[in-house]
Amino acid sequence: LLLSGEAPAFSAGLNLVEVAALDRAGAERFLDVLCRFIDTLYRYPAPTVALVNGHAIAGGCVVAMACDFRIAAPASGPNAPRMGLNEVALGLRFPPAILDLVRRRVPPQHLETVVLGAGLFPPTEALSLGLLDAVRDDAQEHARAALATLAAHPASAYAAAKRALRPPLAGSAAEHADFADGGLESWVSPELKARIAALLGPKK
């Protein structure tokens, strides 16, 4: 499975207009679908490669992180594609299953930089933080070659090894209780709706 996007984004993340319209019950359903989708992609029993051909922000970065191999082309300057988890900057709490993925996929020495810093990084810096596995000029060709290499392994052995390495995304019981107690509220708070309105409003 090769995942890619349409320029200028691999995936710019969740639809903020939709997020801003959610009430608590809607947010609960929305995040349940999101977590089940990411878990399905993370544990997909065949090779998955993310060709990160543009911005991969928040939920978009999570989609890329769920793949077996992630690659982007080099880019620099103010218009370079950015990748990162900016949930904290928006005032959002991570659902436990998504935070479980982040802990598994971001190297421990970079975890706090990525999560607490909430930055968006150009490809080379994303590589150094463990958000990407490769940055190459021939990103598209290399993505297809990487996928072909992984797909050449016996399918049943690949699926079994992946299943053993990747138990379902969950998070602890304490994290679920904490998210139900206050985390879910962060997805429907007036403060979040105001931030989204400011982000989506006309630029001066």
Side-chain angles (χ1 to χ4, degrees), residues 62-198:
V62 170
V63 169
M65 290 168 60
C67 293
D68 302 348
F69 186 80
R70 304 147 296 171
I71 183 170
S76 59
N79 296 320
R82 294 295 196 268
M83 184 175 189
L85 301 171
N86 66 342
E87 282 84 349
V88 168
L90 287 173
L92 289 171
R93 299 265 294 274
F94 286 91
I98 301 299
L99 188 58
D100 191 15
L101 172 75
V102 173
R103 285 199 190 100
R104 295 186 197 187
R105 298 296 276 162
V106 178
Q109 67 271 28
H110 299 311
L111 186 58
E112 292 195 2
T113 297
V114 170
V115 173
L116 300 182
L120 301 175
F121 309 99
T124 301
E125 195 169 352
L127 175 65
S128 72
L129 293 170
L131 297 176
L132 291 169
D133 297 299
V135 172
R136 293 177 57 121
D137 289 319
D138 60 342
Q140 184 169 349
E141 293 79 6
H142 190 70
R144 294 186 181 281
L147 185 61
T149 297
L150 295 175
H153 301 318
S156 60
Y158 193 92
K162 194 169 180 180
R163 188 166 57 249
L165 289 171
R166 298 184 181 180
L169 298 172
S172 69
E175 288 170 337
H176 279 275
D178 182 62
F179 189 78
D181 185 52
L184 184 60
E185 188 63 30
S186 72
W187 287 81
V188 296
S189 70
E191 293 81 8
L192 175 69
K193 296 179 188 299
R195 290 188 196 98
I196 290 175

Side-chain angles (χ1 to χ4, degrees), residues 2-15:
L2 178 65
L3 273 69
S4 188
E6 294 186 1
F10 167 77
S11 169
L14 302 179
N15 183 331

